Amino acid sequence: MLIDTHAHLDFPDFAGELPAILQRAKDAGVERIITIGTGVASSRRSLVLAEQYDMVYAAIGIHPCNANDETDDAVSRLAPLLSHPKVVAIGECGLDYYHLPERPEHESDTEYTSRLAPWKARQKLFFNQQLELAANHKLNVIIHQRHSWDDTLEVLFPWNGKLRAVFHCFGENQARAEQLLVNGHLVSFTGIITFKNAQIVREVAKSLPDGSFMVETDCPYLAPVPHRGKRCEPAFVRRTAESIADLRNQSLPGFLTATAATAKSFFRFPDSV
Ligand SMILES: [Zn+2]
C-alpha cells in the first residue's frame, strides 16, 4: 500500500482541484494521504477534508513558522479536534531557525539577537505544548526541524518513551538518523531523494532498516524529478518510493509493504487498530 504521509491539501495551491488530484493519486496507487495542519485554521480545514474524502486523514498542529502569528492559546484550541477518529497525529510542530524574522537595515546585531530570543522561545513553547498534548492523547508527532537540530532534540527527548516522532523531510546525515532511531523515532523522505545534490540523504535512505522510515510528498512543495520545480501532488509519492526502492535493491511491492506497515503502526489509522 502506498501512503503519502505528509501533504498540505488545505493549501490554496490545490483549491478547486482536489477531486482530480485525489483521482490522480489513486491512479498512481496511492491509497491514503495524511494532510498536515500548520496552524489552528489549517488544522480545522485539514479535518474537514478528512471528513469529506475517505482516503484522507489529518494531522493537527502548529508549524514553528506560524508560532509567532498564532494566539497564545493556539495549542489549547487544537485540543477539541483530537477526539475525531480521522486525526492520526499531532503536527507538524518543531523548530525552524532557517526562516528568520525580517531584519530592518538600521537594526544592530545586539538588537536583532535580543529580538530572536523571545521569537525562538515561543517556537519552543508551542512545540513543547504540542508534545504534551500528543502524550496526553496517545498520539505520535510529526516534526519539522530546520537549522535547529540541537534545540529540537533538547525539547523532544524528555518525551522519549511517551511518544514517537517522525522527522519529516529528513535531510540530515546517517549519524543524526541513528540518534533518532535509538530513541524510538522515525524519519521520512520526500522527492528531494531524486535531486542531483541529495547524495547524503540517498545514502541514509539506502542504509536505514525497514520499519524506520516512511515516504511523503510535502506537496505542494518538493516535487521529485522529473517534476522538480512544478507544483507537487500526492500522486508523485510513487516516484519517491520507486527511487528509494531502487537504491535499496528492493522490489517495489516489498518496499511498499514495509513502508505501509511502518506508517500503520506509527499513525494507527482507525481501521488498523
Ligand atoms: Zn509540511
Side-chain angles (χ1 to χ4, degrees), residues 235-257:
F236 298 171
V237 75
R238 185 181 183 89
R239 181 73 200 92
T240 300
E242 285 169 348
S243 155
I244 303 177
D246 248 20
L247 283 172
R248 297 168 64 83
N249 284 320
Q250 270 176 313
S251 72
L252 188 62
F255 177 87
L256 295 184
T257 303

Side-chain angles (χ1 to χ4, degrees), residues 13 33 38 141 196 251 254:
D13 311 63
I33 302 167
T38 54
V141 296
K196 226 185 215 160
S251 72

Side-chain angles (χ1 to χ4, degrees), residues 142-202:
I142 298 163
I143 306 268
H144 172 103
Q145 180 281 130
R146 201 156 177 202
H147 287 205
S148 57
W149 183 260
D150 291 340
D151 282 10
T152 300
L153 298 196
E154 191 184 302
V155 179
L156 173 66
F157 276 12
W159 296 94
N160 288 348
K162 299 190 186 78
L163 51 77
R164 302 181 77 198
V166 57
F167 278 59
H168 107 90
C169 192
F170 192 73
E172 306 292 330
N173 62 25
Q174 184 75 25
R176 287 185 166 183
E178 278 162 16
Q179 201 180 355
L180 298 178
L181 302 196
V182 296
N183 286 289
H185 306 303
L186 304 176
V187 302
S188 77
F189 298 108
T190 60
I192 286 181
I193 212 89
T194 65
F195 295 0
K196 226 185 215 160
N197 57 358
Q199 194 51 37
I200 292 174
V201 193
R202 272 193 292 277

Side-chain angles (χ1 to χ4, degrees), residues 99-135:
H99 297 101
L100 293 171
E102 268 183 56
R103 179 178 178 175
E105 256 173 54
H106 60 80
E107 196 172 35
S108 72
D109 282 357
T110 334
E111 282 171 332
Y112 188 60
T113 314
S114 69
R115 198 154 62 84
L116 277 187
W119 179 88
K120 286 184 179 179
R122 191 171 173 92
Q123 286 197 16
K124 286 185 191 173
L125 174 72
F126 274 52
F127 181 24
N128 198 55
Q129 286 176 342
Q130 290 177 85
L131 294 169
E132 188 179 3
L133 191 65

Side-chain angles (χ1 to χ4, degrees), residues 6 8 36 63 92 168 218:
H6 194 116
H8 293 285
I36 310 290
H63 192 291
E92 57 188 297
H168 107 90
D218 200 16

Side-chain angles (χ1 to χ4, degrees), residues 191 194-195 217 220-225 227-232 236:
T194 65
F195 295 0
T217 55
Y221 311 117
L222 301 173
V225 173
H227 310 287
R228 189 172 179 180
K230 299 196 191 116
R231 181 187 73 180
C232 187
F236 298 171

